[in-house]
Amino acid sequence: MSTLHTVNKSPFATQALLSCLNHAKAGDAVLMIEDGVYGGLSGTGMSEIVTEFGKAVTLYILAPDAAARGIGTNRLIDGVEGVDYTGFVELVAKHDRTQSWL
Amino acid sequence: MAKTKKFLYVNRKAPYGTIYALESLEVVLIGAAFEQDVALAFVDDGVFQLAKGQNTDGIGVKNFSPTFRALGDYDVQKLFVERESLEERGLSEADLIEVVYEDEDDDWAEKSAIHVVGRAEIADIMADADVVLSF
Amino acid sequence: MKIGVLISEGPYTHQAADSAYKFVSAALAAGHEVPRVFFYHDGVNVATRLSLPPQDERHIQQNWTALAKEHEVDLVVCVAAAQRRGLLDEGEANRNGKDANNIAEGFRISGLGQLIEMGIQTDRLVTFGD
């Protein structure tokens, strides 16, 4: 049993990502969408924390949202995987429940 | 009849600044009639929803905190409040409103529906839900 | 798999209704069922047929109406949230003595019970909001 968590807020604006990572279980997936994609950036004040949590959960970023915001894949934290909407749907199907951190 | 599902309502927002807390409570009240397993989790700023002494006279908005007390009458018995979220905000259980229900398995004794639990337990409760509704 | 979707933010101000549209389109294309999309909070504003975005912008309401028609998706607007925000169907308008209604084709107004029912009857529930 595992959960897909979605986060749609910049970690520089709200605690949604941090709270999500603090509650996620090993084996869960965290998908950053909308303004949440800024949480996947490397070289930021949040990168180290996100990287650390990324050892227990799988981190994803919604690629169309990243592209819209000018975030190239070369700017992402190592291990953060880009998915398209089809991949988003696959993650929803793969995990037992989806929890949105609004 | 399909098996009962575990519904978890996750409240992470403070009251009044936005309508989410009030409209979340409206979902819970309707949902209580569906004979599913219902639990509420109050995390982050959501814990402010349960603060005692709310007085909205000066802002022209209805004070809905007394409505939480009705949850007990709807047989909603599980309001989980995250201890770490309370502590980060300088609050303790004594600062929260009372929500009680009558336990039919215990000669209708009045019991508190508010359970202050640690972050790890909140995570367990989230991981155990079938349907998570976030507000 | 049956996937239910909850949209809790309004159109244009927030990306939620756009994200949900892309998600539902992808889910249907992958062969999943999306029996219902429930609109709550400011999400109810997606359902107004009086929206007039500039021609070179996407028309969020019309996109949903077309998607619902093609794939038989039940677009349900919460009645309590809708009444607060001035979204009325013909019946609601008549009952409340209002001189107009504004619900677009393909959307219907109903109670919050439809959201709970969606949670019970689907395998997954995905929320898009703020």
Side-chain angles (χ1 to χ4, degrees):
Chain A
M1 298 289 271
S2 61
T3 302
L4 170 67
H5 304 267
T6 64
V7 176
N8 73 336
K9 299 290 189 311
S10 162
F12 309 105
T14 80
Q15 294 214 60
L17 177 62
L18 198 56
S19 195
C20 166
L21 293 171
N22 271 324
H23 291 88
K25 297 269 190 185
D28 284 358
V30 175
L31 171 63
M32 295 171 269
I33 70 168
E34 299 173 357
D35 287 353
V37 297
Y38 295 116
L41 281 173
S42 60
T44 75
M46 283 298 294
S47 304
E48 203 175 313
I49 294 168
V50 175
T51 303
E52 190 55 37
F53 278 104
K55 292 172 184 168
V57 302
T58 319
L59 300 169
Y60 298 91
I61 199 165
L62 193 60
D65 277 331
R69 289 160 177 80
I71 300 171
T73 46
N74 58 329
R75 298 282 313 279
L76 296 179
I77 294 168
D78 279 347
V80 174
E81 189 185 327
V83 294
D84 59 10
Y85 281 96
T86 303
F88 186 173
V89 172
E90 284 166 4
L91 287 172
V92 167
K94 179 181 167 189
H95 297 277
D96 301 283
R97 69 191 70 72
T98 301
Q99 179 168 357
S100 303
W101 293 80
L102 304 173
Chain B
M1 173 95 191
K3 89 171 180 57
T4 300
K5 281 193 175 181
K6 290 178 185 171
F7 276 70
L8 177 67
Y9 298 89
V10 179
N11 298 285
R12 294 186 49 250
K13 298 198 174 86
Y16 309 117
T18 54
I19 199 169
Y20 304 107
L22 168 63
E23 287 190 334
S24 165
L25 188 53
E26 291 184 343
V27 180
V28 176
L29 291 169
I30 297 289
F34 280 74
E35 299 190 351
Q36 303 292 306
D37 184 292
V38 173
L40 282 69
F42 294 86
V43 178
D44 298 333
D45 278 358
V47 301
F48 287 131
Q49 294 180 27
L50 298 174
K52 263 183 195 163
Q54 297 177 31
N55 179 343
T56 60
D57 291 350
I59 64 169
V61 178
K62 186 176 154 189
N63 178 358
F64 62 90
S65 67
T67 311
F68 281 110
R69 278 187 231 130
L71 288 176
D73 303 333
Y74 285 80
D75 213 27
V76 175
Q77 305 172 358
K78 294 180 284 191
L79 278 67
F80 297 104
V81 183
E82 187 175 271
R83 182 175 293 112
E84 288 85 345
S85 295
L86 284 175
E87 287 170 355
E88 282 162 13
R89 289 158 181 80
L91 298 174
S92 70
E93 188 164 2
D95 297 305
L96 305 181
I97 57 170
E98 287 183 359
V99 181
V100 297
Y101 68 99
E102 293 178 341
D103 188 350
E104 60 177 313
D105 297 327
D106 190 9
D107 198 23
W108 305 99
E110 256 194 14
K111 295 185 177 176
S112 176
I114 292 187
H115 311 276
V116 176
V117 300
R119 182 163 286 160
E121 192 172 338
I122 290 282
D124 288 342
I125 291 161
M126 289 171 171
D128 190 44
D130 293 310
V131 180
V132 181
L133 286 161
S134 308
F135 295 97
Chain C
M1 185 168 276
K2 286 184 185 170
I3 304 174
V5 172
L6 168 62
I7 299 177
S8 55
E9 273 306 313
Y12 302 106
T13 300
H14 196 284
Q15 200 185 339
D18 295 299
S19 298
Y21 177 77
K22 291 290 223 177
F23 174 82
V24 171
S25 300
L28 292 166
H32 295 292
E33 283 178 67
V34 181
R36 180 174 295 159
V37 176
F38 193 88
F39 296 82
Y40 196 42
H41 304 305
D42 276 2
V44 300
N45 290 312
V46 171
T48 177
R49 67 166 183 270
L50 302 181
S51 162
L52 285 169
Q55 291 210 340
D56 59 347
E57 278 185 29
R58 81 271 188 225
H59 197 304
I60 295 176
Q61 171 265 312
Q62 285 179 3
N63 286 346
W64 278 107
T65 294
L67 192 74
K69 195 169 186 176
E70 189 181 344
H71 298 278
E72 293 182 357
V73 183
D74 187 20
L75 304 180
V76 180
V77 180
C78 169
V79 61
Q83 288 190 340
R84 279 195 182 104
R85 294 162 177 87
L87 269 288
L88 301 170
D89 62 13
E90 196 176 355
E92 291 296 320
N94 290 341
R95 254 193 301 285
N96 294 286
K98 297 290 185 184
D99 61 2
N101 63 75
N102 54 351
I103 289 295
E105 183 191 348
F107 292 81
R108 68 184 178 94
I109 291 185
S110 190
L112 278 170
Q114 302 278 307
L115 170 60
I116 307 298
E117 189 185 88
M118 181 171 83
I120 295 169
Q121 292 178 352
T122 57
D123 303 302
R124 301 285 186 274
L125 193 153
V126 186
T127 303
F128 294 88
D130 192 41

